């Protein structure tokens, strides 16, 4: 009986390790590739013979990845607080106040969630150009500073908190803004973290909009810099592409390791997004 | 007046009727909260969406910024364009490949990481890594793996599936399959979490009584786990369809829609039209995409609401 259980466990671990090779393997191969020296063959072996950071130095020095990193960071740092603020503001009356036009506003916001970006990217591109937002950080971030999904997510969170706390604050004479800020907002902190994660992931890895809006390389984000670099996919360039890929991924991995719990709970929250 | 507990609805009415200024505040206050978002979404989302509808009926020149009304001729043009139908077909084939894999592989992962054995939380994290990888990075890593001298081609030759090293991305017969594997890889961990939430809502005593009755692990999986996960299967399927219709980076950065249109999905078709500055054609094709997306979302709503009815019954 014991050995049967032991066998079963061995099978489980073998299977789980096999799956790990599939999910993590591509990262390791890319990491090893990025550590290979210039004179080393690309496909001669998976492991680097004499690991070096020279490809990372080249990415910063010659390929401008320091600047792309900074651009991406600026855009993300603008997007997260503004999206949290504007979405949690807009979501509150939609969850808690009775006013004329509420159902219309809510219906419009929720239905925009179904609209694919590719439908309106051309008009948006023209609009950003005419507003002078092309090749600016603000232009890069306009799609992320308030999102229909964020409003939807925050509204769900406000709907879940018990009304009594807010009602008693009103009886104490607090106004709506104070109740939102001092009573409701602290109660939805976990959802704020989830939304911050969604905003970070959406902004950091965004590709299509920065591709359209940043025509000058001084405004490239990491995704665009990486895509441009990969235009030359020759063997000679693969080590540099790998180093740049690792650079682009490290911040998302760090945030993931830091906030794992919220990533997991956020995954099921986001499932209703559609 | 007594100081006994106040009945809340009454209190609300009182605040509303006591002073006139309070009454008008009640109507104005919500809009103060809403204004920043309404301005941003109105300008950068709603107006562009409405313009896309308008452009689909025009012969719009994006550089000149004008266009003449042409009725439905843009739609006529795409519906008579063989490339458009190929793009629809490719989108459909892509979904047919991805859907069963997205439904079953993450389910197996979820069952594995739901076992009460040592180290299981580490595996959960390792399976989730692809989800947090930026899509551009994922696409380029796989492009590297797929290259002719790369590891996948080596494995395929060793398995005897190909005689000589082959890059699956540049063969028109295998390219769409190859890019869909990137999508599946990236989504494994995400859908695993959806299933895990479903698994953890199954009462444990169901398994206990089954194993007392002598049901094997496999029988338990087939007769308890799969039926109990039906709601999660619905959710994963619809999410796969909605996300799959919008697949872009995996294709744009690996094959660019080629070879000879073999991986040009509907979104790639729209993108190419836009890059040629055929924005009215792109808008018309975008509306087709929107109709499909709405269809999938309505399907989701219908399925989830009928599921809630089931739960209530």
């Amino acid at each position: 009986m014991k050995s049967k259980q032991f066998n079963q466990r061995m099978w489980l671990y073998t299977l789980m390790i096999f799956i790990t090779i599939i999910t993590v393997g591509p990262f390791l191969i890319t990491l090893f590739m990025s550590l290979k020296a210039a004179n080393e063959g690309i496909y001669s072996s998976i492991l680097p013979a004499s690991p070096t950071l020279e490809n990372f130095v080249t990415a910063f020095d010659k390929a401008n990845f320091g600047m792309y990193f900074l651009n991406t960071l600026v855009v993300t740092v603008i997007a997260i607080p503004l999206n949290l603020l504007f979405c949690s503001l807009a979501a509150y009356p939609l969850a808690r106040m009775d006013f004329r036009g509420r159902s219309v506003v809510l219906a419009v916001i929720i239905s925009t969630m179904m609209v694919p970006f590719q439908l309106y990217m051309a008009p948006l591109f023209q609009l950003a150009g005419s507003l002078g937002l092309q090749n600016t950080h603000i232009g890069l971030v306009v799609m992320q500073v308030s999102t229909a999904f964020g409003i939807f997510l925050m509204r769900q969170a406000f709907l879940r908190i018990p009304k009594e706390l807010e009602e008693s604050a009103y009886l104490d004479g607090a106004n709506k803004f104070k109740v939102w800020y001092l009573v409701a907002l602290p109660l939805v902190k976990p959802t704020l973290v989830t939304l911050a994660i969604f905003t970070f992931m959406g902004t950091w890895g965004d590709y299509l909009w920065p591709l359209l809006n940043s025509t000058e390389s001084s405004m490239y984000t990491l995704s665009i810099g990486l895509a441009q670099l990969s235009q030359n996919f020759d063997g000679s360039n693969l080590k540099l592409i790998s180093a740049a890929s690792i650079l682009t991924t490290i911040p998302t991995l760090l945030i993931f390791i830091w906030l794992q719990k919220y990533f997991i709970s956020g995954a099921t929250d986001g499932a209703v997004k559609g | 007046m007594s100081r006994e507990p106040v009945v809340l609805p009454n209190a609300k009415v009182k605040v509303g009727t006591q002073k006139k200024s309070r009454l008008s505040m009640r109507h104005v206050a919500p809009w103060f909260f809403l204004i920043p978002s309404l301005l941003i979404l109105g300008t950068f989302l709603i107006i562009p969406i409405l313009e896309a509808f308008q452009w689909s009926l025009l012969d719009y020149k994006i550089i000149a910024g004008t266009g003449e009304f042409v009725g439905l001729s843009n739609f006529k043009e795409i519906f008579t364009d063989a490339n458009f139908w190929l793009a629809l077909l490719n989108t459909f084939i892509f979904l047919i490949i991805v859907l069963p894999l997205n439904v079953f592989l993450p389910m197996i992962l979820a069952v594995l990481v739901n076992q009460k054995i040592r180290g299981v939380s580490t595996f959960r994290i390792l399976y989730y890594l692809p989800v947090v990888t930026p899509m551009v990075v994922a696409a380029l890593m796989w492009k590297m793996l797929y290259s002719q001298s790369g590891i996948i081609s080596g494995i395929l030759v060793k398995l005897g599936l190909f005689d000589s090293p082959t890059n699956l991305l540049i063969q028109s017969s295998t390219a769409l399959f190859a890019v869909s594997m990137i999508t599946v890889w990236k989504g494994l961990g995400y859908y695993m979490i959806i299933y895990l939430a479903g698994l953890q809502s199954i009462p444990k005593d169901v398994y206990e009584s089954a194993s007392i009755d002598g049901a094997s692990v496999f029988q338990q999986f087939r007769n308890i786990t799969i039926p109990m996960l039906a709601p999660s299967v619905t959710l994963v399927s619809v999410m796969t369809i909605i996300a799959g219709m919008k697949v872009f980076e995996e294709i744009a950065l690996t094959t660019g829609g080629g070879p000879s249109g073999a991986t040009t999905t509907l979104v790639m078709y729209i993108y190419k039209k836009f890059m040629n500055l055929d924005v009215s054609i792109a808008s018309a094709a975008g509306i087709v995409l929107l109709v499909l997306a709405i269809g999938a979302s309505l399907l989701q709503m219908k399925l989830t609401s009928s599921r809630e009815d089931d739960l209530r019954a």
Side-chain angles (χ1 to χ4, degrees):
Chain A
M1 196 61 199
K2 261 251 164 85
S3 83
K4 192 188 162 199
Q5 211 177 27
F6 178 78
N7 261 335
Q8 215 172 44
R9 234 164 236 208
M10 283 311 288
W11 272 109
L12 272 177
Y13 279 119
T14 312
L15 193 54
M16 290 206 287
I17 288 166
F18 175 73
I19 296 167
T20 307
I21 293 171
I22 293 170
T23 59
V24 183
F27 289 99
L28 293 180
I29 291 174
T30 309
L31 179 66
F32 295 148
M33 182 76 86
S34 73
L35 296 173
K36 285 184 177 178
N39 56 5
E40 212 181 318
I42 317 164
Y43 296 114
S44 52
S45 74
I46 288 176
L47 285 172
S50 51
T52 163
L53 289 176
E54 65 188 46
N55 297 310
F56 290 88
V57 175
T58 313
F60 275 106
D61 277 2
K62 299 208 178 80
N64 287 327
F65 269 81
M67 189 171 68
Y68 303 157
F69 198 96
L70 203 65
N71 282 337
T72 315
L73 196 66
V74 168
V75 167
T76 313
V77 165
I78 297 173
I80 294 175
L82 289 183
N83 196 23
L84 294 193
L85 174 68
F86 293 154
C87 289
S88 55
L89 268 176
Y92 190 61
L94 294 175
R96 276 295 198 260
M97 299 179 198
D98 257 331
F99 62 96
R100 204 195 268 256
R102 180 174 87 156
S103 50
V104 175
V105 172
L106 191 61
V108 169
I109 288 175
I110 288 180
S111 46
T112 61
M113 282 164 58
M114 287 190 267
V115 181
F117 178 69
Q118 288 81 10
L119 172 66
Y120 60 91
M121 65 182 173
L124 180 66
F125 172 77
Q126 196 196 38
L127 178 72
S130 64
L131 293 176
L133 295 175
Q134 204 177 33
N135 290 309
T136 64
H137 288 114
I138 302 294
L140 282 175
V141 89
V142 287
M143 297 309 297
Q144 309 281 356
V145 289
S146 175
T147 53
F149 170 64
I151 295 171
F152 175 76
L153 192 70
M154 294 315 302
R155 178 173 176 267
Q156 297 295 100
F158 285 131
L159 285 175
R160 276 195 299 264
I161 58 178
K163 267 190 179 146
E164 286 74 14
L165 293 166
E166 290 155 88
E167 300 286 1
S168 65
Y170 281 125
L171 292 181
D172 290 344
N175 64 30
K176 290 199 157 77
F177 183 79
K178 266 193 179 155
V179 172
W180 168 76
Y181 184 71
L182 295 172
V183 181
L185 215 48
L187 292 171
V188 295
K189 252 186 207 159
T191 313
L192 286 172
V193 179
T194 300
L195 182 57
I197 289 172
F198 272 107
T199 314
F200 170 75
M201 296 300 290
T203 314
W204 192 268
D206 196 12
Y207 175 65
L208 187 47
W209 177 239
L211 179 69
L212 302 181
N213 201 52
S214 297
T215 52
E216 287 165 17
S217 65
S218 63
M219 268 297 145
Y220 283 178
T221 58
L222 284 167
S223 289
I224 309 306
L226 198 49
Q228 292 295 330
L229 189 66
S230 75
Q231 297 284 317
N232 171 9
F233 213 73
D234 291 346
S236 59
N237 215 20
L238 287 188
K239 291 168 196 163
L240 184 57
I241 294 173
S242 299
S245 296
I246 297 292
L247 274 177
T248 305
T249 313
I250 284 175
T252 67
L253 289 186
L254 290 179
I255 300 258
F256 171 58
I257 290 164
W258 177 35
L259 298 171
Q260 296 165 29
K261 212 177 65 189
Y262 292 95
F263 271 83
I264 303 300
S265 63
T268 41
D269 281 348
V272 292
K273 170 185 173 188
Chain B
M1 244 169 72
S2 81
R3 280 267 171 202
E4 290 305 308
V6 186
V7 183
L8 293 174
N10 284 345
K12 231 177 166 181
V13 171
K14 250 188 204 162
V15 173
T17 49
Q18 256 171 1
K19 288 181 198 164
K20 209 171 177 217
S21 68
R22 275 286 175 103
L23 186 81
S24 65
M25 241 342 256
R26 252 190 65 157
H27 290 281
V28 176
W31 299 101
F32 278 114
F33 285 82
L34 281 163
I35 261 180
S37 286
L38 290 185
L39 280 178
I40 295 163
L41 294 177
T43 313
F44 297 107
L45 185 67
I46 313 250
I47 290 178
I49 291 172
L50 295 178
E51 272 184 315
F53 276 91
Q54 192 194 2
W55 291 11
S56 73
L57 301 174
L58 303 175
D59 167 23
Y60 197 78
K61 304 273 185 295
I62 196 164
I63 293 169
T66 56
E68 275 170 34
F69 182 78
V70 294
L72 295 175
S73 75
N74 292 314
F75 291 92
K76 244 178 240 162
E77 190 170 333
I78 56 172
F79 290 138
T80 51
D81 180 2
N83 287 327
F84 172 78
W85 292 107
L86 178 65
L88 266 188
L89 181 68
N90 283 335
T91 309
F92 185 70
I93 297 173
F94 178 86
L95 289 176
I96 295 286
I97 299 170
V98 171
L99 194 56
L101 295 173
N102 265 8
V103 166
F104 285 108
L105 296 180
M107 191 192 284
I108 295 167
L109 263 59
V111 170
L112 286 175
V113 300
N114 199 31
Q115 304 293 319
K116 299 271 169 310
I117 54 174
R118 196 186 287 258
V120 87
S121 57
T122 310
F123 283 107
R124 248 180 242 184
I125 291 170
L126 294 175
Y127 296 172
Y128 204 77
L129 285 186
V131 183
V132 298
T133 314
M135 196 62 236
V136 174
V137 172
L140 293 179
M141 289 197 309
W142 278 87
K143 192 177 181 182
M144 213 152 27
L145 297 176
Y146 273 128
S147 66
Q148 195 169 356
S149 339
I151 193 160
I152 292 175
S153 133
I155 292 171
L156 292 176
V157 170
K158 268 198 189 124
L159 290 174
L161 290 168
F162 285 94
D163 295 333
S164 57
T166 309
N167 183 342
L168 295 182
L169 289 170
I170 60 170
Q171 306 268 65
S172 56
S173 56
T174 53
L176 195 55
F177 175 80
V179 291
S180 63
M181 289 306 110
I182 307 177
T183 310
V184 172
W185 178 79
K186 186 121 182 3
L188 280 176
Y190 185 76
Y191 297 116
M192 170 187 83
I193 296 298
I194 306 275
Y195 278 124
L196 200 56
L199 280 177
Q200 285 168 351
S201 66
I202 302 176
K204 288 196 177 58
D205 47 349
V206 181
Y207 288 106
E208 275 161 22
S209 51
S211 64
I212 290 169
D213 291 347
S216 72
V217 176
F218 180 73
Q219 280 171 328
Q220 288 179 27
F221 180 71
R222 232 193 81 181
N223 297 324
I224 302 172
T225 310
I226 291 184
M228 295 288 255
L229 279 182
S232 312
V233 170
T234 311
L235 186 60
V236 169
S237 308
V238 180
M239 287 175 77
T240 299
I241 293 171
I242 292 175
M245 283 190 312
K246 298 176 190 168
V247 59
F248 177 70
E249 283 96 333
E250 295 95 312
I251 295 173
L253 286 150
T254 54
T255 63
S260 56
T263 55
T264 299
T265 54
L266 188 49
V267 165
M268 279 305 292
Y269 178 87
I270 296 169
Y271 176 72
K272 283 179 182 173
K273 290 293 178 193
F274 173 48
M275 283 307 180
N276 284 335
L277 299 182
D278 291 333
V279 290
S280 281
I281 300 288
S283 298
I287 286 170
V288 175
L289 178 64
L290 175 66
V291 169
L292 295 175
I294 290 174
S297 301
L298 291 180
L299 180 73
Q300 176 183 31
M301 278 177 215
K302 207 182 156 212
L303 290 171
T304 43
S305 69
S306 68
R307 200 174 72 216
E308 273 158 21
D309 292 344
D310 288 350
L311 289 177
R312 249 180 258 128

